[in-house]
Amino acid sequence: MECEICGKPIEGKPIRTKIDGSVLEVCKECSKYGRVQRDTPLERKFVSRNKKGNPQNKNRSQNKSQSAQRRRREEPMDELAEDFNILVRQARESKGWTREELGAKINERVSVINRIESGKMEPDSKLAKKLEKTLNITLIEKYDDMDLESFKSSASGPNTLGSIVKIKRR
């Protein structure tokens, strides 16, 4: 078995680790990126049944979920700009406004502006749109599904999270 993050072969039993809401089977080295999960009894798998009590056709439900996934992938997604805090601060300063003045213009507390500009808080979509409109900047970027082939590492073997994602060190 291979680690689902770095792709290295796992000797022995993999470690089930919850990382950003997903439970992955990883090596000991990658388990430090999340919270190790205790071994729990296998969850019962429920089979949906029709009115007569017979299991429903699995292929039909799989086809529905696959088409829903395709639709979700085709829709462009919104993402907050990585350097949102710098953009907000520079735009505010270029207009000659204080944090208090900006807060009054968008009906937000000064502490919220402070946390956004320091990068301690990410604005939700509603607040980001208010900041975009008031400061005439772009904080929310639309992006389409990325081509994973362009992110393939030069290493042979199956793709893992580690071959696509850059892990930020704190």
Side-chain angles (χ1 to χ4, degrees), residues 76-84 87-88 123-133 137-143:
M77 294 187 260
D78 296 343
E79 186 175 271
L80 186 63
E82 201 168 307
D83 56 346
F84 68 92
L87 292 171
V88 170
D124 62 359
S125 61
K126 185 178 177 182
L127 179 55
K129 287 176 184 174
K130 282 200 284 188
L131 288 166
E132 283 181 329
K133 187 175 179 180
I137 57 175
T138 303
L139 294 177
I140 299 174
E141 302 168 342
K142 291 195 182 297
Y143 69 94

Side-chain angles (χ1 to χ4, degrees), residues 8-103:
K8 293 179 187 174
I10 300 174
E11 294 180 16
K13 190 175 179 184
I15 301 170
R16 290 174 49 88
T17 307
K18 190 170 192 175
I19 302 172
D20 286 338
S22 298
V23 178
L24 305 171
E25 293 184 348
V26 298
C27 63
K28 184 176 182 179
E29 190 175 314
C30 292
S31 68
K32 65 184 175 188
Y33 296 120
R35 176 175 255 152
V36 176
Q37 301 293 298
R38 293 185 191 145
D39 288 334
T40 58
L42 293 175
E43 296 176 1
R44 292 180 58 190
K45 294 184 179 180
F46 293 97
V47 177
S48 59
R49 297 182 180 274
N50 60 16
K51 290 180 182 176
K52 294 180 181 178
N54 297 329
Q56 289 183 345
N57 188 351
K58 290 182 183 178
N59 290 336
R60 191 182 321 155
S61 63
Q62 286 176 350
N63 290 341
K64 285 181 183 178
S65 66
Q66 287 174 352
S67 63
Q69 286 176 348
R70 264 185 258 133
R71 271 186 265 124
R72 266 188 249 129
R73 281 190 212 129
E74 291 169 2
E75 297 172 5
M77 294 187 260
D78 296 343
E79 186 175 271
L80 186 63
E82 201 168 307
D83 56 346
F84 68 92
N85 55 336
I86 297 168
L87 292 171
V88 170
R89 183 177 45 82
Q90 288 176 345
R92 176 185 58 79
E93 289 174 348
S94 69
K95 292 193 178 277
W97 295 343
T98 63
R99 290 177 175 171
E100 290 80 9
E101 290 171 325
L102 176 59

